[in-house]
Amino acid sequence: VRLGKDLRQAMACGQFRLHYQPILALHDGRIRGAEALLRWQHPERGWISPAEFIPLAEDSGLIVELGSWVFAEVCRQLQQWRQLQPQLHISVNVSPIQFFADNANLLQWPAQLAAHGLPGDSVVLEITERLLLDNRDQVSTQLHALRQCGIRVSLDDFGTGYSSLSYLKKFAIDYLKIDQSFVRHLETDGSDRALCEAIIAMAHRLDMRVVAEGIELAAHHDWLREAGCDFGQGFLFARALPAAEFEALLRQRR
Ligand code: G
Ligand code: G
Ligand code: NA
Ligand code: MN
């Protein structure tokens, strides 16, 4: 409860940071992008996980303002980092509230990208299956408008939510992210391997690319690459890094 009150003050005091987890193309091992992940440095409690404060920010509606801050920060970093790597893209997690709130401003993002001289395809929106459950027409309209401007859409935690495969037909989706729970035991679990193979085959048939998350072992990486998975992220390569560390990695791997 206390934490909820602290959130608004945290915005004002600049206690949020974005960390960046590299996303690699599995076929050549090169960094293609990063997922921006929010961190809150609380003055008394230290680092607080988004798993803890995002739900509070959603309940209070502050997620809209926080989401705008995240996007502005991502634009700023993209402008800098695309000088090091011109094709770099950043994935941004968005909450369903950002699609539905009255003052939701996702539809202003293309103009914001343009103002920074950034192409639409420098940004990927990470949404979850939860978003696709309600208000389908409103969501579908907004997703189409964003995609018209080149922004791409990734379905996060794929396979763990309330997914109905019909979503994949109805909504314009560019990437499926295989949830970490299917990756974690790949080396020993034949069912997980079968599920990953099926997801990859289905995605490719529907002209989507696949990102595997939670790659922790070389065995996961090797198997996924052989199976034709396009991209990967996980502790094997890097955890989510402070901006300066991600930039150092970009320079070193250029
Ligand atoms: O980084 P970590 O794995 O602790 O993230 C926990 C959860 O918080 C993930 O589900 C992630 O999608 C979510 N999250 C991280 N950053 C953001 C953000 O900027 N906006 C939203 N809506 N969710 C985020
Ligand atoms: O829900 P979402 O997929 O956005 O959450 C991503 C979360 O997964 C982040 O908190 C991130 O720190 C975490 N993560 C990223 N890579 C790995 C990994 O290889 N292993 C584990 N256990 N967690 C990871
Ligand atoms: Na995500
Ligand atoms: Mn995810």
Side-chain angles (χ1 to χ4, degrees):
V1 192
R2 174 74 200 293
L3 217 49
K5 278 194 187 151
D6 288 357
L7 266 176
R8 190 162 289 279
Q9 210 189 344
M11 276 293 297
C13 301
Q15 290 168 5
F16 293 107
R17 290 285 177 281
L18 284 177
H19 284 189
Y20 298 88
Q21 186 176 37
I23 299 176
L24 287 78
L26 292 183
H27 74 91
D28 63 6
R30 298 191 54 167
I31 296 174
R32 293 300 155 90
E35 177 178 358
L37 291 159
L38 256 179
R39 301 289 181 256
W40 177 8
Q41 186 159 41
H42 191 280
E44 289 140 38
R45 294 186 40 185
W47 290 105
I48 301 180
S49 160
E52 206 174 328
F53 68 79
I54 293 287
L56 297 174
E58 288 179 332
D59 288 346
S60 65
L62 193 73
I63 190 72
V64 174
E65 201 180 320
L66 190 54
S68 295
W69 177 83
V70 166
F71 190 71
E73 185 68 8
V74 162
C75 287
R76 196 178 65 78
Q77 292 294 0
L78 272 170
Q79 217 174 17
Q80 283 180 20
W81 290 341
R82 280 172 77 95
Q83 290 169 25
L84 300 173
Q85 185 170 324
Q87 304 298 321
L88 190 81
H89 56 77
I90 296 183
S91 301
V92 180
N93 290 284
V94 288
S95 153
I97 313 273
Q98 291 173 266
F99 283 81
F100 299 131
D102 288 340
N103 57 342
N105 51 10
L106 283 176
L107 293 177
Q108 291 162 23
W109 287 9
Q112 245 173 297
L113 285 171
H116 285 83
L118 294 165
D121 68 6
S122 56
V123 167
V124 180
L125 292 191
E126 292 207 6
I127 61 170
T128 54
E129 292 162 0
R130 180 163 71 110
L131 172 68
L132 307 180
L133 285 174
D134 313 302
N135 286 297
R136 294 185 182 201
D137 288 338
Q138 192 183 342
V139 170
S140 168
T141 305
Q142 291 193 55
L143 287 179
H144 271 109
L146 292 164
R147 273 179 101 252
Q148 287 277 298
C149 308
I151 291 177
R152 287 184 291 213
V153 177
S154 184
L155 191 50
D156 201 8
D157 307 332
F158 182 73
T160 60
Y162 307 89
S163 45
S164 131
L165 294 179
S166 66
Y167 293 159
L168 301 180
K169 213 170 92 171
K170 161 142 178 126
F171 295 96
I173 290 165
D174 301 280
Y175 300 99
L176 292 186
K177 284 190 93 166
I178 302 181
D179 189 68
Q180 337 192 343
S181 59
F182 301 119
V183 171
R184 195 168 301 140
H185 307 295
L186 266 183
E187 75 281 14
T188 51
D189 191 323
S191 311
D192 284 341
R193 287 197 295 272
L195 284 169
C196 287
E197 278 170 359
I199 292 171
I200 293 165
M202 176 183 68
H204 287 169
R205 285 279 299 171
L206 294 170
D207 211 21
M208 297 183 285
R209 305 276 87 83
V210 183
V211 186
E213 35 177 41
I215 299 178
E216 293 185 351
L217 302 177
H220 301 159
H221 165 267
D222 295 348
W223 188 88
L224 286 159
R225 192 189 49 201
E226 286 306 306
C229 181
D230 304 282
F231 303 97
Q233 64 186 94
F235 295 168
L236 176 66
F237 317 117
R239 67 185 199 288
L241 303 167
E245 284 178 43
F246 178 71
E247 181 172 326
L249 195 64
L250 267 187
R251 288 180 188 281
Q252 173 195 325
R253 295 269 211 113
R254 197 141 48 117

